[in-house]
Amino acid sequence: MNENPKIIAFLCNWCSYTGADLAGTSRMKYASYVRVIRVMCSGRVDPTFVIKSFQEGADGVLICGCHPGDCHYHEGNYKCLRRFHLLQKYIKQMGIQPERLRLEWISASEGREFSELVNEFSESIKALEPSQIKESIETFS
Amino acid sequence: MTKEVKPKINLAVYWGAACGGCCVSVLDVHESLFTVTEHANLVFWPIALDIKYKDVESMPDGFIDVTLFNGAVRNSENEHMAKLLRKKTKILVAYGSCAHMGGIPGLANFSNREGIFNRVYLESESTSNPEKVFPQQHHKVSEGVLELPEFHNDVKTLNQVVNVDYYLPGCPPQTERLVEVFLAIVSKTDLPPAGSVVGALDKSQCDECKRKKSDNKLVKVFKRPWQIKDDGVTCFIEQGVICMGPATRGGCGVRCVEGNAPCRGCYGPPSDVTDPGLKMMSAIATMIDSNDSAEIEKTIETIDDPAGTFYRYSLPGSILRRKVL
Amino acid sequence: MKQYTIDPITRLEGHGKVEIFCTDDGDVENVYFQVPELRGFEKFLEGRPVEEASQIVTKICGVCPGCHHMAAGKATDAVFGVKPTPTAVKLRELFYMAHFVHSHIAHFYALAAPDFVVGPTAPAAERNVLGVIAKVGVETGTEVLKQRRIAQEIQALLGGHQTHVVMNTPGGVRKGLTEEQRKDIELKAKGFVEFARFSLKVFNDVVLANKTYVDIILNGPYSLNLYSMGLVDENNKVNFYDGKVRVTDQDGKEHCKYSPHDYRNWLEERVEPYSYLKYPFLKQIGWKGFVEGKDSGVYHATPLSRLNAADGMATPLAQEQYEFMYKTLGGKPVHATLAMHWARLVELLYSAERALELAQDKEITGTDIQAELPNVPREGVGIVEAQRGTLTHHYLTDEKGIITKANIIVGTTNNNAAISMSLKKAAQGLIKKGVTVDDGILNMVEMAFRAYDPCFSCATHSLPGNMPLEVIFRNSKGDITRQVKRR
Ligand code: SF4
Ligand code: SF4
Ligand code: SF4
Ligand code: FES
């Protein structure tokens, strides 16, 4: 159990961030462990951002982009989808539970969906032990 | 060229956890050895000179102008020598993939001391060790005590132990590159800022590679090298075989690809990239020929051992450094 | 108690170290040979696709990468249950012969010759490659470098990467040979044969003509009565690339002859707490400690043991030399450690002749260089003779060919116990009460070690003034009373 997880969320500016904003303005409650980073497009989420987050102690990483077909840069979210699956396979091999990384599509109007997603993801991360990644890397070095 | 008498510099070569290939590549300077000895006194080189660790200890700090350190940092002796040589050396060069990024011995970071000891000394198919004897740092025999260095839990790159001035990549580095870098150092010209990679190109392998590439590198199934009939001319990735070319710095002459083997990345990432594996993942993401989640997953299923392939030479130097155990 | 430390003696998979314990009288009480390094390839091969192994394992050793590449390549073939095409096999063997030529030339001229051509107790400043050249002439020196370079060029041409070969792929090789390249190699191989014959002549004229040297070889404290191991072909002739492993006993009788996949029936390894390197021994005989004789499972795997374990050489000129060697040394088998140098030259001639045969083989320029892989991968063992001893790679994989387990018995490892014993015997024979331990004596101790050509020694001796050796004398309190250093 992890009572106080650190979660990083990369949100696409055009849809997901707006969705999150909507969740905020409509006072839908969502878990407060999440630190939001706004990016122009989910396609701009470099694998380095994700892995750096884990390295620096994140317990979970959430990436949100526009629904398929809706990306403002056409292909950005598909690129992100492929990277996401690759990263999943990679982190699994590195001893990091794949559940710690999640990708979802959230549109600008899906405030409720966003807050539900965040709550659900937060619960699933809370259910895991705190991430050992940072410590493991440090103890060994 | 004007003839001016320059004072010779003091040069040292040392190995950590290495295979010897780097030292051989230094010996391979052959005739250029004379160019080297013309400009340098070799003050420490365990494979070639009778100078002991003690002698290094008694050198004044900064006595050595240039040390070429090859090999990773695997045990307490490697670590001690890295620190000692740092103190005695003005310009410390991480020579070869092992010192640069951890190299092949760095693959040990998928495991740890216990895992390695158990496999080698207990479980190996030919080992019989019912008493579970393991090598000890201090072992008492009737005549006295025998010492061994401590085997660390993981492998470190040279710069994870001490400050490094330059990196000369390659497994081993091309000897010609060494001579160029060496001459630049002795003439004190053209030296890039400390911390730079030297003796390699800025661009990727693909830039130098002669294999035919088209713009549509789209892949549905990744294959192992033996699953294709290599035509010898088309880019490996276009044939579906993982090649580290896009995430690897040029400078070796694409020698593996010239030998019809895909590149495995020993020259490390190009200059704008810190983590070669993540760069490779980005590159591959643009090549997978699908927008459908399930199909993408299926394609990725066909990449066997991504971590061990994308970080073949660079696991300890990557962002995650090691498997979380 | 006096304690002598020789550190580093030379490199194995690390920095070898010798501890010599003496009584206060100055007699040698015990000698420990330690290898203080481990990298753990057996562990980190796990999870790797099996075809990558042959490239990963070259990094076990940058001096003999070709041996690991070949053993791994063969183990990988075995994992897939595939027989490489005839052309591929020939290309591999041709590469391998060039690898042997290259390494054996280096060892003889840079490492062994200084002791014999210049003299075992000659001033250290002369006891090196340059001293050898001074004795045998500059042209020879140039020729040595030239032949080595040519052998290296052939390796680079066939191997694809001048150091860490990328030649093998399951069922074959990645690159074929053109007729033009074949002709060029043929010419070069003829040069090898000439040079190998010349080298044997040097040995004959300089070493065998000198009674003192012959006496040192035969009667110095350098003889070990051990089992002999080596790879042989179907006619029991020496083979480096393929065949069965044969072990003969102290009288030359066959102890066993096994196929690679049966190695575990005959070999076992032991762990000692003071070294990272294990000690293989003959399983059916058992480990009886560091002792000689038929009851002890200690064996050696060296040029001499290979000749002992075989019935002869597969090429005509080498066979002549084989017979001459045994005749001169009083019959087979020979247990004089220093005869390894002679055996190595016989092997050099064999490699050269075999390289020529292969270069003249019509099939070698064939285009069918990779066989189909019919089977699901599982388990395989590959064995070759490395310059420094029989080399065994054993991999188990899952059905996709991902390695689940790997086991490696490296050339020099075979000789771990034998090297320890040779060192002890030489030290006991040479360092005694009343004997001043000087540079010459230390060199003679070291000669016991050097004969095995433990890995890295070839590189060690390619510059003058090398093979560092230091002996520290300690009194019973452990304080240093005197130091002798050889330069
Ligand atoms: S970088 Fe390559 S050649 Fe150099 S020591 Fe490491 S494994 Fe050997
Ligand atoms: S991916 Fe490999 S084969 Fe393709 S161009 Fe780059 S280096 Fe050449
Ligand atoms: S092709 Fe790649 S793996 Fe081969 S030497 Fe060049 S950088 Fe290294
Ligand atoms: S703009 Fe939203 S995912 Fe590309």
Side-chain angles (χ1 to χ4, degrees), chain B residues 15 18-19 47 50 119-121 126-128 136 143 149 171 174 224 226 258 260 264 305 312-313, chain C residues 7 11 15 30 32 48 51-52 59 62 161-162 174-175 269 273 276 278 400 406-407 456 460 486:
Chain B
W15 61 56
C19 78
I47 74 154
D50 180 22
R119 165 100 282 252
V120 175
Y121 300 116
S126 48
T127 299
S128 151
Q136 304 293 323
E143 299 89 359
C171 178
Q174 293 281 62
R224 307 256 286 271
W226 46 268
E258 290 280 306
N260 291 343
R264 286 294 174 249
D305 188 26
R312 178 64 52 79
Y313 289 89
Chain C
D7 181 21
R11 193 177 171 75
H15 323 203
N30 210 345
Y32 293 92
R48 310 287 83 77
E51 71 276 8
E52 300 286 325
K59 275 78 174 180
H161 181 301
Q162 78 280 34
R174 299 184 200 262
K175 225 176 177 172
E269 295 183 283
Y276 283 117
K278 291 182 280 188
K400 280 167 103 184
N407 191 30
F456 221 77
T460 310
R486 192 172 82 67

Short mmCIF file of all heavy atoms in Angstrom, two decimals, chain B residues 15 18-19 47 50 119-121 126-128 136 143 149 171 174 224 226 258 260 264 305 312-313, chain C residues 7 11 15 30 32 48 51-52 59 62 161-162 174-175 269 273 276 278 400 406-407 456 460 486:
data_model
loop_
_atom_site.label_atom_id
_atom_site.label_comp_id
_atom_site.label_asym_id
_atom_site.label_seq_id
_atom_site.Cartn_x
_atom_site.Cartn_y
_atom_site.Cartn_z
N TRP B 15 43.00 -0.43 -17.44
CA TRP B 15 41.77 -1.17 -17.69
C TRP B 15 41.00 -1.40 -16.40
O TRP B 15 41.55 -1.66 -15.36
CB TRP B 15 42.05 -2.51 -18.34
CG TRP B 15 42.91 -3.46 -17.54
CD1 TRP B 15 42.68 -3.91 -16.27
CD2 TRP B 15 44.12 -4.08 -17.97
NE1 TRP B 15 43.68 -4.77 -15.89
CE2 TRP B 15 44.56 -4.90 -16.90
CE3 TRP B 15 44.86 -4.03 -19.16
CZ2 TRP B 15 45.74 -5.66 -16.99
CZ3 TRP B 15 46.02 -4.80 -19.23
CH2 TRP B 15 46.44 -5.59 -18.16
N ALA B 18 37.24 -5.10 -18.29
CA ALA B 18 37.39 -4.95 -19.73
C ALA B 18 37.73 -6.30 -20.34
O ALA B 18 38.00 -7.26 -19.63
CB ALA B 18 38.50 -3.95 -20.04
N CYS B 19 37.72 -6.34 -21.66
CA CYS B 19 38.03 -7.60 -22.32
C CYS B 19 39.44 -7.62 -22.87
O CYS B 19 39.91 -8.64 -23.34
CB CYS B 19 37.05 -7.85 -23.45
SG CYS B 19 37.41 -6.90 -24.94
N ILE B 47 49.48 -3.70 -18.94
CA ILE B 47 49.71 -4.83 -19.84
C ILE B 47 51.07 -4.73 -20.53
O ILE B 47 51.54 -5.69 -21.08
CB ILE B 47 48.61 -5.00 -20.92
CG1 ILE B 47 48.70 -3.94 -22.00
CG2 ILE B 47 47.25 -5.04 -20.32
CD1 ILE B 47 48.11 -4.43 -23.30
N ASP B 50 56.20 -2.37 -16.67
CA ASP B 50 56.33 -2.81 -15.30
C ASP B 50 56.25 -1.63 -14.34
O ASP B 50 57.24 -1.20 -13.78
CB ASP B 50 57.67 -3.54 -15.14
CG ASP B 50 57.83 -4.03 -13.71
OD1 ASP B 50 56.81 -4.16 -13.02
OD2 ASP B 50 58.97 -4.25 -13.31
N ARG B 119 24.40 -18.23 -10.23
CA ARG B 119 24.50 -18.88 -11.54
C ARG B 119 25.90 -19.47 -11.74
O ARG B 119 26.07 -20.63 -12.08
CB ARG B 119 24.19 -17.88 -12.66
CG ARG B 119 24.62 -18.36 -14.03
CD ARG B 119 23.49 -18.93 -14.85
NE ARG B 119 23.02 -20.27 -14.56
CZ ARG B 119 23.23 -21.35 -15.33
NH1 ARG B 119 23.97 -21.28 -16.40
NH2 ARG B 119 22.73 -22.51 -15.02
N VAL B 120 26.92 -18.65 -11.50
CA VAL B 120 28.28 -19.07 -11.84
C VAL B 120 28.79 -20.15 -10.87
O VAL B 120 29.35 -21.15 -11.30
CB VAL B 120 29.24 -17.86 -11.85
CG1 VAL B 120 30.68 -18.31 -12.08
CG2 VAL B 120 28.82 -16.87 -12.93
N TYR B 121 28.57 -19.93 -9.59
CA TYR B 121 29.22 -20.81 -8.61
C TYR B 121 28.33 -21.91 -8.06
O TYR B 121 28.82 -22.83 -7.41
CB TYR B 121 29.82 -19.98 -7.47
CG TYR B 121 30.84 -19.01 -7.97
CD1 TYR B 121 30.64 -17.63 -7.86
CD2 TYR B 121 32.01 -19.45 -8.60
CE1 TYR B 121 31.57 -16.73 -8.33
CE2 TYR B 121 32.95 -18.55 -9.08
CZ TYR B 121 32.73 -17.19 -8.95
OH TYR B 121 33.65 -16.31 -9.43
N SER B 126 27.92 -27.31 -15.15
CA SER B 126 29.09 -28.15 -14.93
C SER B 126 29.68 -27.97 -13.53
O SER B 126 30.69 -28.57 -13.21
CB SER B 126 30.15 -27.88 -15.99
OG SER B 126 30.36 -26.49 -16.13
N THR B 127 29.05 -27.14 -12.71
CA THR B 127 29.64 -26.88 -11.40
C THR B 127 29.05 -27.80 -10.34
O THR B 127 27.86 -28.04 -10.30
CB THR B 127 29.40 -25.41 -10.99
OG1 THR B 127 30.03 -24.58 -11.95
CG2 THR B 127 29.98 -25.12 -9.62
N SER B 128 29.94 -28.31 -9.52
CA SER B 128 29.49 -29.10 -8.38
C SER B 128 29.99 -28.39 -7.13
O SER B 128 31.18 -28.28 -6.90
CB SER B 128 30.08 -30.51 -8.49
OG SER B 128 30.25 -31.06 -7.22
N GLN B 136 35.63 -15.30 -1.55
CA GLN B 136 35.60 -14.42 -0.38
C GLN B 136 36.60 -13.29 -0.52
O GLN B 136 37.67 -13.50 -1.08
CB GLN B 136 35.96 -15.23 0.88
CG GLN B 136 35.09 -16.44 1.12
CD GLN B 136 33.67 -16.06 1.46
OE1 GLN B 136 33.44 -15.07 2.16
NE2 GLN B 136 32.71 -16.81 0.94
N GLU B 143 48.65 -20.73 5.69
CA GLU B 143 49.87 -19.93 5.58
C GLU B 143 49.62 -18.44 5.76
O GLU B 143 50.56 -17.67 5.93
CB GLU B 143 50.51 -20.14 4.20
CG GLU B 143 50.92 -21.57 3.89
CD GLU B 143 49.79 -22.38 3.24
OE1 GLU B 143 48.70 -21.81 3.05
OE2 GLU B 143 50.01 -23.57 2.95
N PRO B 149 39.34 -8.57 -4.53
CA PRO B 149 38.53 -7.35 -4.54
C PRO B 149 37.06 -7.68 -4.33
O PRO B 149 36.64 -8.80 -4.60
CB PRO B 149 38.74 -6.78 -5.96
CG PRO B 149 39.85 -7.56 -6.57
CD PRO B 149 39.95 -8.85 -5.84
N CYS B 171 33.63 -0.13 -29.36
CA CYS B 171 33.96 -1.40 -28.71
C CYS B 171 34.72 -2.27 -29.69
O CYS B 171 34.16 -3.12 -30.32
CB CYS B 171 32.69 -2.10 -28.24
SG CYS B 171 32.98 -3.70 -27.47
N GLN B 174 37.92 2.81 -32.96
CA GLN B 174 38.78 2.65 -34.13
C GLN B 174 40.13 3.28 -33.81
O GLN B 174 40.19 4.42 -33.35
CB GLN B 174 38.18 3.36 -35.33
CG GLN B 174 36.89 2.75 -35.84
CD GLN B 174 37.15 1.52 -36.68
OE1 GLN B 174 37.67 0.54 -36.18
NE2 GLN B 174 36.76 1.55 -37.93
N ARG B 224 14.00 -11.45 -36.45
CA ARG B 224 15.37 -11.68 -36.00
C ARG B 224 16.21 -11.83 -37.27
O ARG B 224 15.69 -12.22 -38.32
CB ARG B 224 15.42 -12.94 -35.15
CG ARG B 224 14.38 -12.91 -34.00
CD ARG B 224 15.02 -12.62 -32.68
NE ARG B 224 15.75 -13.77 -32.19
CZ ARG B 224 15.22 -14.73 -31.43
NH1 ARG B 224 13.94 -14.68 -31.09
NH2 ARG B 224 15.97 -15.73 -31.02
N TRP B 226 18.07 -13.96 -38.54
CA TRP B 226 18.01 -15.22 -39.28
C TRP B 226 16.64 -15.49 -39.87
O TRP B 226 16.45 -16.46 -40.60
CB TRP B 226 18.45 -16.40 -38.41
CG TRP B 226 17.83 -16.41 -37.04
CD1 TRP B 226 18.37 -15.85 -35.92
CD2 TRP B 226 16.58 -16.97 -36.63
NE1 TRP B 226 17.53 -16.02 -34.84
CE2 TRP B 226 16.43 -16.71 -35.25
CE3 TRP B 226 15.58 -17.67 -37.31
CZ2 TRP B 226 15.31 -17.12 -34.53
CZ3 TRP B 226 14.45 -18.08 -36.58
CH2 TRP B 226 14.32 -17.80 -35.21
N GLU B 258 28.54 -3.36 -42.59
CA GLU B 258 29.39 -3.76 -43.71
C GLU B 258 29.62 -5.28 -43.70
O GLU B 258 29.82 -5.88 -44.73
CB GLU B 258 30.74 -3.05 -43.65
CG GLU B 258 30.65 -1.55 -43.94
CD GLU B 258 30.56 -1.27 -45.43
OE1 GLU B 258 31.44 -1.73 -46.16
OE2 GLU B 258 29.60 -0.59 -45.86
N ASN B 260 27.35 -7.29 -42.84
CA ASN B 260 25.99 -7.82 -42.93
C ASN B 260 25.36 -8.16 -41.58
O ASN B 260 24.49 -9.01 -41.50
CB ASN B 260 25.94 -9.05 -43.85
CG ASN B 260 26.18 -8.69 -45.30
OD1 ASN B 260 26.07 -7.52 -45.67
ND2 ASN B 260 26.50 -9.68 -46.11
N ARG B 264 24.68 -2.69 -33.26
CA ARG B 264 24.18 -2.89 -31.91
C ARG B 264 24.53 -1.73 -30.98
O ARG B 264 24.38 -1.81 -29.78
CB ARG B 264 24.71 -4.21 -31.34
CG ARG B 264 24.02 -5.43 -31.96
CD ARG B 264 22.54 -5.48 -31.57
NE ARG B 264 21.81 -6.56 -32.26
CZ ARG B 264 20.88 -6.34 -33.19
NH1 ARG B 264 20.58 -5.12 -33.57
NH2 ARG B 264 20.24 -7.35 -33.74
N ASP B 305 13.45 -9.06 -26.48
CA ASP B 305 14.51 -8.46 -25.67
C ASP B 305 14.80 -7.00 -26.03
O ASP B 305 15.94 -6.65 -26.35
CB ASP B 305 15.80 -9.29 -25.82
CG ASP B 305 16.90 -8.83 -24.86
OD1 ASP B 305 16.57 -8.27 -23.79
OD2 ASP B 305 18.09 -9.04 -25.18
N ARG B 312 22.28 -2.58 -25.47
CA ARG B 312 23.30 -3.62 -25.50
C ARG B 312 24.63 -3.15 -24.90
O ARG B 312 25.31 -3.89 -24.20
CB ARG B 312 23.51 -4.08 -26.96
CG ARG B 312 24.57 -5.14 -27.20
CD ARG B 312 24.26 -6.45 -26.53
NE ARG B 312 22.92 -6.95 -26.84
CZ ARG B 312 22.60 -7.58 -27.97
NH1 ARG B 312 23.51 -7.80 -28.88
NH2 ARG B 312 21.37 -8.00 -28.17
N TYR B 313 24.97 -1.90 -25.16
CA TYR B 313 26.26 -1.40 -24.68
C TYR B 313 26.11 -0.30 -23.63
O TYR B 313 27.09 0.30 -23.25
CB TYR B 313 27.07 -0.83 -25.85
CG TYR B 313 27.58 -1.88 -26.79
CD1 TYR B 313 26.82 -2.32 -27.87
CD2 TYR B 313 28.83 -2.46 -26.59
CE1 TYR B 313 27.30 -3.28 -28.73
CE2 TYR B 313 29.31 -3.43 -27.44
CZ TYR B 313 28.55 -3.85 -28.52
OH TYR B 313 29.02 -4.80 -29.36
N ASP C 7 52.01 -9.52 -8.46
CA ASP C 7 50.71 -8.91 -8.74
C ASP C 7 50.91 -7.65 -9.56
O ASP C 7 51.57 -6.75 -9.11
CB ASP C 7 50.01 -8.60 -7.42
CG ASP C 7 48.64 -7.98 -7.63
OD1 ASP C 7 48.08 -8.16 -8.72
OD2 ASP C 7 48.15 -7.33 -6.70
N ARG C 11 47.24 -10.91 -17.38
CA ARG C 11 45.81 -10.84 -17.39
C ARG C 11 45.15 -12.12 -17.86
O ARG C 11 45.52 -12.72 -18.82
CB ARG C 11 45.43 -9.73 -18.36
CG ARG C 11 44.05 -9.36 -18.24
CD ARG C 11 43.83 -8.22 -19.18
NE ARG C 11 42.42 -8.01 -19.20
CZ ARG C 11 41.77 -7.42 -18.23
NH1 ARG C 11 42.41 -6.98 -17.19
NH2 ARG C 11 40.49 -7.27 -18.29
N HIS C 15 43.08 -9.66 -13.59
CA HIS C 15 44.48 -9.47 -13.30
C HIS C 15 44.96 -10.62 -12.43
O HIS C 15 44.67 -10.67 -11.25
CB HIS C 15 44.70 -8.16 -12.55
CG HIS C 15 43.79 -7.04 -13.04
ND1 HIS C 15 44.12 -5.73 -12.86
CD2 HIS C 15 42.61 -7.04 -13.69
CE1 HIS C 15 43.17 -4.97 -13.38
NE2 HIS C 15 42.23 -5.74 -13.89
N ASN C 30 53.86 -22.86 0.08
CA ASN C 30 52.68 -23.04 -0.76
C ASN C 30 52.56 -21.87 -1.73
O ASN C 30 53.10 -20.79 -1.48
CB ASN C 30 51.41 -23.14 0.09
CG ASN C 30 50.37 -24.01 -0.59
OD1 ASN C 30 50.47 -24.32 -1.78
ND2 ASN C 30 49.36 -24.41 0.15
N TYR C 32 49.64 -19.86 -4.22
CA TYR C 32 48.25 -19.69 -4.63
C TYR C 32 48.18 -18.80 -5.85
O TYR C 32 48.75 -17.72 -5.88
CB TYR C 32 47.42 -19.06 -3.50
CG TYR C 32 47.27 -19.95 -2.31
CD1 TYR C 32 48.17 -19.87 -1.25
CD2 TYR C 32 46.25 -20.88 -2.24
CE1 TYR C 32 48.05 -20.69 -0.14
CE2 TYR C 32 46.11 -21.71 -1.14
CZ TYR C 32 47.01 -21.61 -0.08
OH TYR C 32 46.89 -22.43 1.00
N ARG C 48 18.76 -12.93 -23.59
CA ARG C 48 19.21 -12.43 -24.90
C ARG C 48 18.81 -13.44 -25.98
O ARG C 48 18.90 -14.66 -25.75
CB ARG C 48 20.73 -12.25 -24.93
CG ARG C 48 21.36 -11.46 -23.78
CD ARG C 48 21.10 -9.97 -23.85
NE ARG C 48 19.83 -9.56 -23.30
CZ ARG C 48 19.55 -9.46 -21.99
NH1 ARG C 48 20.46 -9.76 -21.09
NH2 ARG C 48 18.37 -9.06 -21.58
N GLU C 51 20.95 -15.93 -31.04
CA GLU C 51 21.87 -15.59 -32.13
C GLU C 51 22.74 -14.38 -31.78
O GLU C 51 23.75 -14.13 -32.44
CB GLU C 51 21.11 -15.35 -33.44
CG GLU C 51 20.29 -14.07 -33.49
CD GLU C 51 18.90 -14.22 -32.85
OE1 GLU C 51 18.66 -15.28 -32.25
OE2 GLU C 51 18.09 -13.29 -32.96
N GLU C 52 22.35 -13.63 -30.76
CA GLU C 52 23.18 -12.49 -30.36
C GLU C 52 24.38 -12.95 -29.53
O GLU C 52 25.35 -12.22 -29.36
CB GLU C 52 22.36 -11.49 -29.54
CG GLU C 52 21.17 -10.90 -30.27
CD GLU C 52 21.56 -9.88 -31.32
OE1 GLU C 52 22.54 -9.14 -31.10
OE2 GLU C 52 20.89 -9.84 -32.38
N LYS C 59 33.22 -10.39 -26.36
CA LYS C 59 33.68 -9.43 -25.36
C LYS C 59 34.16 -10.09 -24.08
O LYS C 59 34.45 -9.43 -23.09
CB LYS C 59 32.57 -8.42 -25.04
CG LYS C 59 32.53 -7.25 -25.99
CD LYS C 59 31.89 -7.57 -27.33
CE LYS C 59 31.76 -6.32 -28.17
NZ LYS C 59 31.15 -6.56 -29.48
N GLY C 62 39.21 -9.77 -25.73
CA GLY C 62 39.58 -9.03 -26.92
C GLY C 62 40.84 -9.57 -27.57
O GLY C 62 41.27 -9.09 -28.62
N HIS C 161 34.33 -7.47 -38.71
CA HIS C 161 34.68 -6.42 -37.74
C HIS C 161 36.06 -6.84 -37.26
O HIS C 161 36.23 -8.00 -36.88
CB HIS C 161 33.64 -6.44 -36.62
CG HIS C 161 33.84 -5.41 -35.54
ND1 HIS C 161 34.96 -5.35 -34.78
CD2 HIS C 161 33.03 -4.42 -35.09
CE1 HIS C 161 34.83 -4.36 -33.91
NE2 HIS C 161 33.67 -3.77 -34.08
N GLN C 162 37.03 -5.94 -37.32
CA GLN C 162 38.41 -6.43 -37.14
C GLN C 162 38.68 -7.03 -35.76
O GLN C 162 39.53 -7.88 -35.62
CB GLN C 162 39.44 -5.35 -37.48
CG GLN C 162 39.66 -4.28 -36.43
CD GLN C 162 38.59 -3.21 -36.45
OE1 GLN C 162 37.42 -3.45 -36.73
NE2 GLN C 162 38.98 -1.98 -36.12
N ARG C 174 27.50 -14.67 -42.60
CA ARG C 174 26.76 -13.54 -43.18
C ARG C 174 27.31 -13.07 -44.52
O ARG C 174 26.67 -12.32 -45.23
CB ARG C 174 26.78 -12.37 -42.21
CG ARG C 174 26.13 -12.65 -40.87
CD ARG C 174 26.14 -11.38 -40.04
NE ARG C 174 25.96 -11.65 -38.63
CZ ARG C 174 24.80 -11.56 -38.00
NH1 ARG C 174 23.72 -11.22 -38.67
NH2 ARG C 174 24.72 -11.81 -36.71
N LYS C 175 28.54 -13.47 -44.80
CA LYS C 175 29.16 -12.93 -45.99
C LYS C 175 29.98 -14.00 -46.70
O LYS C 175 30.70 -14.74 -46.05
CB LYS C 175 30.09 -11.76 -45.59
CG LYS C 175 29.94 -10.56 -46.48
CD LYS C 175 30.78 -9.39 -46.01
CE LYS C 175 30.61 -8.25 -47.01
NZ LYS C 175 31.22 -7.02 -46.57
N GLU C 269 33.25 -28.71 -12.46
CA GLU C 269 34.03 -27.56 -11.99
C GLU C 269 33.87 -27.39 -10.49
O GLU C 269 32.81 -27.63 -9.94
CB GLU C 269 33.55 -26.28 -12.69
CG GLU C 269 33.80 -26.28 -14.17
CD GLU C 269 33.36 -24.95 -14.77
OE1 GLU C 269 32.14 -24.76 -14.94
OE2 GLU C 269 34.21 -24.11 -15.02
N PRO C 273 37.47 -20.63 -2.47
CA PRO C 273 37.07 -19.32 -1.94
C PRO C 273 38.06 -18.19 -2.23
O PRO C 273 37.74 -17.04 -1.99
CB PRO C 273 36.96 -19.57 -0.43
CG PRO C 273 37.76 -20.79 -0.17
CD PRO C 273 37.72 -21.62 -1.40
N TYR C 276 38.15 -16.02 -8.20
CA TYR C 276 36.89 -15.92 -8.93
C TYR C 276 36.82 -16.91 -10.09
O TYR C 276 35.79 -17.05 -10.73
CB TYR C 276 36.68 -14.49 -9.45
CG TYR C 276 36.23 -13.52 -8.39
CD1 TYR C 276 37.01 -12.43 -8.02
CD2 TYR C 276 35.01 -13.69 -7.74
CE1 TYR C 276 36.57 -11.53 -7.04
CE2 TYR C 276 34.57 -12.81 -6.77
CZ TYR C 276 35.35 -11.73 -6.43
OH TYR C 276 34.93 -10.85 -5.46
N LYS C 278 36.89 -20.70 -11.62
CA LYS C 278 36.65 -22.07 -11.14
C LYS C 278 37.75 -23.03 -11.61
O LYS C 278 38.58 -22.69 -12.43
CB LYS C 278 35.28 -22.54 -11.65
CG LYS C 278 34.13 -21.81 -11.01
CD LYS C 278 32.78 -22.33 -11.49
CE LYS C 278 32.39 -21.77 -12.82
NZ LYS C 278 31.00 -22.10 -13.20
N LYS C 400 11.31 -19.67 -28.40
CA LYS C 400 11.60 -18.58 -29.32
C LYS C 400 13.10 -18.38 -29.51
O LYS C 400 13.52 -17.50 -30.27
CB LYS C 400 11.02 -17.27 -28.76
CG LYS C 400 9.53 -17.13 -29.03
CD LYS C 400 8.96 -16.01 -28.19
CE LYS C 400 8.71 -14.76 -28.99
NZ LYS C 400 8.24 -13.66 -28.12
N ALA C 406 22.96 -20.26 -19.58
CA ALA C 406 24.19 -20.33 -20.35
C ALA C 406 25.32 -20.81 -19.45
O ALA C 406 25.38 -20.43 -18.28
CB ALA C 406 24.52 -18.96 -20.93
N ASN C 407 26.16 -21.64 -20.00
CA ASN C 407 27.32 -22.12 -19.25
C ASN C 407 28.53 -22.05 -20.16
O ASN C 407 28.45 -22.39 -21.34
CB ASN C 407 27.08 -23.57 -18.79
CG ASN C 407 28.13 -24.02 -17.79
OD1 ASN C 407 28.65 -23.21 -17.02
ND2 ASN C 407 28.44 -25.30 -17.79
N PHE C 456 45.86 -13.00 -22.68
CA PHE C 456 46.38 -11.65 -22.62
C PHE C 456 47.88 -11.60 -22.65
O PHE C 456 48.48 -10.56 -22.76
CB PHE C 456 45.90 -10.85 -21.41
CG PHE C 456 45.58 -9.46 -21.82
CD1 PHE C 456 44.40 -9.20 -22.48
CD2 PHE C 456 46.46 -8.43 -21.62
CE1 PHE C 456 44.10 -7.93 -22.92
CE2 PHE C 456 46.16 -7.14 -22.05
CZ PHE C 456 44.98 -6.90 -22.70
N THR C 460 50.44 -8.70 -23.72
CA THR C 460 51.38 -8.27 -22.67
C THR C 460 52.78 -8.14 -23.21
O THR C 460 53.53 -7.27 -22.81
CB THR C 460 51.41 -9.31 -21.55
OG1 THR C 460 50.09 -9.58 -21.19
CG2 THR C 460 52.18 -8.81 -20.37
N ARG C 486 61.32 -7.08 -11.46
CA ARG C 486 61.84 -7.35 -12.79
C ARG C 486 61.23 -6.36 -13.76
O ARG C 486 60.04 -6.09 -13.73
CB ARG C 486 61.44 -8.76 -13.19
CG ARG C 486 62.16 -9.25 -14.40
CD ARG C 486 61.85 -10.69 -14.58
NE ARG C 486 60.58 -10.85 -15.26
CZ ARG C 486 60.39 -10.47 -16.52
NH1 ARG C 486 61.36 -9.92 -17.20
NH2 ARG C 486 59.23 -10.65 -17.10
#
